[in-house]
Amino acid sequence: AKAAPQDAELWTQLLEYELLGDGGDAAQARDVLKHSLELGPNDPHVRFLAAEHALLEGHPALALDHFLFVLANVDQTKDPLGAAMA
């Protein structure tokens, strides 16, 4: 991902791995999340992952903000998991 710093899809995939994959790294997830949000602040998939991260970090109010954004904007995503996120 560092070789493609503007590739939002690649950074989202890396974020998924760091948050949910075997061997993911919580500290690395924070940095990847920050960059992913910079690339796609209105991407429902990124915001869903941000909500998951907020829950894992013990920030339920922040998670709720992200989840509400996803619910309000999921129809704008081309992500095949869009319906599952809602």
Side-chain angles (χ1 to χ4, degrees), residues 56-73:
L56 292 171
E57 294 284 311
H59 303 288
L62 179 58
L64 179 60
D65 288 344
H66 288 299
F67 281 133
L68 291 174
F69 178 90
V70 170
L71 289 173
N73 296 281

PDB file of all heavy atoms in Angstrom, residues 56-73:
ATOM      1  N   LEU A  56     -13.644  -1.388  18.918  1.00  0.00           N
ATOM      2  CA  LEU A  56     -12.505  -2.125  19.473  1.00  0.00           C
ATOM      3  C   LEU A  56     -11.650  -1.258  20.392  1.00  0.00           C
ATOM      4  O   LEU A  56     -11.052  -1.762  21.338  1.00  0.00           O
ATOM      5  CB  LEU A  56     -11.638  -2.682  18.338  1.00  0.00           C
ATOM      6  CG  LEU A  56     -12.275  -3.784  17.502  1.00  0.00           C
ATOM      7  CD1 LEU A  56     -11.401  -4.099  16.288  1.00  0.00           C
ATOM      8  CD2 LEU A  56     -12.504  -5.039  18.330  1.00  0.00           C
ATOM      9  N   GLU A  57     -11.611   0.029  20.101  1.00  0.00           N
ATOM     10  CA  GLU A  57     -10.813   0.960  20.906  1.00  0.00           C
ATOM     11  C   GLU A  57     -11.598   1.505  22.104  1.00  0.00           C
ATOM     12  O   GLU A  57     -11.064   2.298  22.868  1.00  0.00           O
ATOM     13  CB  GLU A  57     -10.328   2.116  20.033  1.00  0.00           C
ATOM     14  CG  GLU A  57      -9.337   1.703  18.956  1.00  0.00           C
ATOM     15  CD  GLU A  57      -7.949   1.441  19.507  1.00  0.00           C
ATOM     16  OE1 GLU A  57      -7.434   2.293  20.257  1.00  0.00           O
ATOM     17  OE2 GLU A  57      -7.387   0.370  19.199  1.00  0.00           O
ATOM     18  N   GLY A  58     -12.876   1.119  22.239  1.00  0.00           N
ATOM     19  CA  GLY A  58     -13.681   1.552  23.377  1.00  0.00           C
ATOM     20  C   GLY A  58     -14.293   2.930  23.221  1.00  0.00           C
ATOM     21  O   GLY A  58     -14.461   3.652  24.208  1.00  0.00           O
ATOM     22  N   HIS A  59     -14.677   3.282  21.985  1.00  0.00           N
ATOM     23  CA  HIS A  59     -15.284   4.587  21.713  1.00  0.00           C
ATOM     24  C   HIS A  59     -16.656   4.391  21.064  1.00  0.00           C
ATOM     25  O   HIS A  59     -16.817   4.612  19.861  1.00  0.00           O
ATOM     26  CB  HIS A  59     -14.377   5.426  20.807  1.00  0.00           C
ATOM     27  CG  HIS A  59     -13.007   5.626  21.347  1.00  0.00           C
ATOM     28  ND1 HIS A  59     -12.752   6.454  22.428  1.00  0.00           N
ATOM     29  CD2 HIS A  59     -11.820   5.084  20.990  1.00  0.00           C
ATOM     30  CE1 HIS A  59     -11.452   6.420  22.694  1.00  0.00           C
ATOM     31  NE2 HIS A  59     -10.874   5.589  21.840  1.00  0.00           N
ATOM     32  N   PRO A  60     -17.652   3.976  21.864  1.00  0.00           N
ATOM     33  CA  PRO A  60     -18.961   3.656  21.285  1.00  0.00           C
ATOM     34  C   PRO A  60     -19.663   4.854  20.637  1.00  0.00           C
ATOM     35  O   PRO A  60     -20.356   4.683  19.636  1.00  0.00           O
ATOM     36  CB  PRO A  60     -19.759   3.103  22.461  1.00  0.00           C
ATOM     37  CG  PRO A  60     -19.080   3.624  23.673  1.00  0.00           C
ATOM     38  CD  PRO A  60     -17.627   3.767  23.312  1.00  0.00           C
ATOM     39  N   ALA A  61     -19.503   6.045  21.161  1.00  0.00           N
ATOM     40  CA  ALA A  61     -20.162   7.211  20.560  1.00  0.00           C
ATOM     41  C   ALA A  61     -19.596   7.498  19.165  1.00  0.00           C
ATOM     42  O   ALA A  61     -20.346   7.804  18.232  1.00  0.00           O
ATOM     43  CB  ALA A  61     -20.018   8.434  21.461  1.00  0.00           C
ATOM     44  N   LEU A  62     -18.293   7.388  19.025  1.00  0.00           N
ATOM     45  CA  LEU A  62     -17.669   7.580  17.722  1.00  0.00           C
ATOM     46  C   LEU A  62     -18.111   6.475  16.760  1.00  0.00           C
ATOM     47  O   LEU A  62     -18.410   6.736  15.590  1.00  0.00           O
ATOM     48  CB  LEU A  62     -16.145   7.591  17.856  1.00  0.00           C
ATOM     49  CG  LEU A  62     -15.343   7.762  16.569  1.00  0.00           C
ATOM     50  CD1 LEU A  62     -15.721   9.058  15.855  1.00  0.00           C
ATOM     51  CD2 LEU A  62     -13.854   7.734  16.885  1.00  0.00           C
ATOM     52  N   ALA A  63     -18.183   5.244  17.254  1.00  0.00           N
ATOM     53  CA  ALA A  63     -18.657   4.135  16.430  1.00  0.00           C
ATOM     54  C   ALA A  63     -20.071   4.407  15.939  1.00  0.00           C
ATOM     55  O   ALA A  63     -20.383   4.200  14.759  1.00  0.00           O
ATOM     56  CB  ALA A  63     -18.600   2.824  17.215  1.00  0.00           C
ATOM     57  N   LEU A  64     -20.931   4.890  16.822  1.00  0.00           N
ATOM     58  CA  LEU A  64     -22.304   5.194  16.441  1.00  0.00           C
ATOM     59  C   LEU A  64     -22.348   6.249  15.344  1.00  0.00           C
ATOM     60  O   LEU A  64     -23.106   6.119  14.375  1.00  0.00           O
ATOM     61  CB  LEU A  64     -23.110   5.663  17.655  1.00  0.00           C
ATOM     62  CG  LEU A  64     -24.565   6.024  17.375  1.00  0.00           C
ATOM     63  CD1 LEU A  64     -25.330   4.836  16.813  1.00  0.00           C
ATOM     64  CD2 LEU A  64     -25.217   6.567  18.638  1.00  0.00           C
ATOM     65  N   ASP A  65     -21.530   7.280  15.442  1.00  0.00           N
ATOM     66  CA  ASP A  65     -21.475   8.306  14.392  1.00  0.00           C
ATOM     67  C   ASP A  65     -21.129   7.684  13.044  1.00  0.00           C
ATOM     68  O   ASP A  65     -21.761   7.992  12.027  1.00  0.00           O
ATOM     69  CB  ASP A  65     -20.443   9.382  14.733  1.00  0.00           C
ATOM     70  CG  ASP A  65     -20.877  10.292  15.866  1.00  0.00           C
ATOM     71  OD1 ASP A  65     -22.078  10.314  16.198  1.00  0.00           O
ATOM     72  OD2 ASP A  65     -19.997  10.981  16.422  1.00  0.00           O
ATOM     73  N   HIS A  66     -20.143   6.819  13.038  1.00  0.00           N
ATOM     74  CA  HIS A  66     -19.746   6.159  11.791  1.00  0.00           C
ATOM     75  C   HIS A  66     -20.856   5.232  11.275  1.00  0.00           C
ATOM     76  O   HIS A  66     -21.167   5.235  10.075  1.00  0.00           O
ATOM     77  CB  HIS A  66     -18.448   5.373  11.967  1.00  0.00           C
ATOM     78  CG  HIS A  66     -17.234   6.211  12.104  1.00  0.00           C
ATOM     79  ND1 HIS A  66     -16.800   7.080  11.130  1.00  0.00           N
ATOM     80  CD2 HIS A  66     -16.335   6.313  13.116  1.00  0.00           C
ATOM     81  CE1 HIS A  66     -15.689   7.674  11.519  1.00  0.00           C
ATOM     82  NE2 HIS A  66     -15.387   7.225  12.726  1.00  0.00           N
ATOM     83  N   PHE A  67     -21.470   4.459  12.176  1.00  0.00           N
ATOM     84  CA  PHE A  67     -22.545   3.553  11.754  1.00  0.00           C
ATOM     85  C   PHE A  67     -23.735   4.329  11.186  1.00  0.00           C
ATOM     86  O   PHE A  67     -24.335   3.927  10.192  1.00  0.00           O
ATOM     87  CB  PHE A  67     -23.011   2.663  12.906  1.00  0.00           C
ATOM     88  CG  PHE A  67     -22.117   1.486  13.182  1.00  0.00           C
ATOM     89  CD1 PHE A  67     -21.724   1.199  14.481  1.00  0.00           C
ATOM     90  CD2 PHE A  67     -21.685   0.650  12.156  1.00  0.00           C
ATOM     91  CE1 PHE A  67     -20.915   0.108  14.753  1.00  0.00           C
ATOM     92  CE2 PHE A  67     -20.876  -0.447  12.420  1.00  0.00           C
ATOM     93  CZ  PHE A  67     -20.489  -0.718  13.724  1.00  0.00           C
ATOM     94  N   LEU A  68     -24.083   5.457  11.815  1.00  0.00           N
ATOM     95  CA  LEU A  68     -25.191   6.267  11.305  1.00  0.00           C
ATOM     96  C   LEU A  68     -24.871   6.829   9.922  1.00  0.00           C
ATOM     97  O   LEU A  68     -25.744   6.901   9.054  1.00  0.00           O
ATOM     98  CB  LEU A  68     -25.533   7.381  12.288  1.00  0.00           C
ATOM     99  CG  LEU A  68     -26.170   6.915  13.600  1.00  0.00           C
ATOM    100  CD1 LEU A  68     -26.325   8.086  14.566  1.00  0.00           C
ATOM    101  CD2 LEU A  68     -27.498   6.228  13.340  1.00  0.00           C
ATOM    102  N   PHE A  69     -23.611   7.206   9.713  1.00  0.00           N
ATOM    103  CA  PHE A  69     -23.203   7.664   8.386  1.00  0.00           C
ATOM    104  C   PHE A  69     -23.395   6.550   7.362  1.00  0.00           C
ATOM    105  O   PHE A  69     -23.899   6.780   6.260  1.00  0.00           O
ATOM    106  CB  PHE A  69     -21.744   8.131   8.395  1.00  0.00           C
ATOM    107  CG  PHE A  69     -21.274   8.559   7.033  1.00  0.00           C
ATOM    108  CD1 PHE A  69     -21.412   9.867   6.625  1.00  0.00           C
ATOM    109  CD2 PHE A  69     -20.712   7.643   6.160  1.00  0.00           C
ATOM    110  CE1 PHE A  69     -21.003  10.260   5.352  1.00  0.00           C
ATOM    111  CE2 PHE A  69     -20.305   8.018   4.891  1.00  0.00           C
ATOM    112  CZ  PHE A  69     -20.452   9.334   4.490  1.00  0.00           C
ATOM    113  N   VAL A  70     -22.976   5.347   7.728  1.00  0.00           N
ATOM    114  CA  VAL A  70     -23.115   4.206   6.816  1.00  0.00           C
ATOM    115  C   VAL A  70     -24.585   3.999   6.457  1.00  0.00           C
ATOM    116  O   VAL A  70     -24.931   3.848   5.276  1.00  0.00           O
ATOM    117  CB  VAL A  70     -22.518   2.923   7.430  1.00  0.00           C
ATOM    118  CG1 VAL A  70     -22.871   1.704   6.603  1.00  0.00           C
ATOM    119  CG2 VAL A  70     -21.013   3.063   7.570  1.00  0.00           C
ATOM    120  N   LEU A  71     -25.454   3.998   7.454  1.00  0.00           N
ATOM    121  CA  LEU A  71     -26.873   3.785   7.184  1.00  0.00           C
ATOM    122  C   LEU A  71     -27.446   4.865   6.269  1.00  0.00           C
ATOM    123  O   LEU A  71     -28.272   4.583   5.396  1.00  0.00           O
ATOM    124  CB  LEU A  71     -27.659   3.734   8.498  1.00  0.00           C
ATOM    125  CG  LEU A  71     -27.428   2.491   9.342  1.00  0.00           C
ATOM    126  CD1 LEU A  71     -28.112   2.641  10.691  1.00  0.00           C
ATOM    127  CD2 LEU A  71     -27.924   1.257   8.616  1.00  0.00           C
ATOM    128  N   ALA A  72     -27.014   6.091   6.443  1.00  0.00           N
ATOM    129  CA  ALA A  72     -27.531   7.196   5.643  1.00  0.00           C
ATOM    130  C   ALA A  72     -26.965   7.216   4.226  1.00  0.00           C
ATOM    131  O   ALA A  72     -27.567   7.818   3.336  1.00  0.00           O
ATOM    132  CB  ALA A  72     -27.224   8.517   6.336  1.00  0.00           C
ATOM    133  N   ASN A  73     -25.829   6.549   4.002  1.00  0.00           N
ATOM    134  CA  ASN A  73     -25.146   6.661   2.713  1.00  0.00           C
ATOM    135  C   ASN A  73     -24.861   5.347   2.010  1.00  0.00           C
ATOM    136  O   ASN A  73     -24.223   5.353   0.958  1.00  0.00           O
ATOM    137  CB  ASN A  73     -23.828   7.415   2.911  1.00  0.00           C
ATOM    138  CG  ASN A  73     -24.060   8.825   3.350  1.00  0.00           C
ATOM    139  OD1 ASN A  73     -24.382   9.681   2.536  1.00  0.00           O
ATOM    140  ND2 ASN A  73     -23.934   9.075   4.639  1.00  0.00           N
TER     141      ASN A  73
END
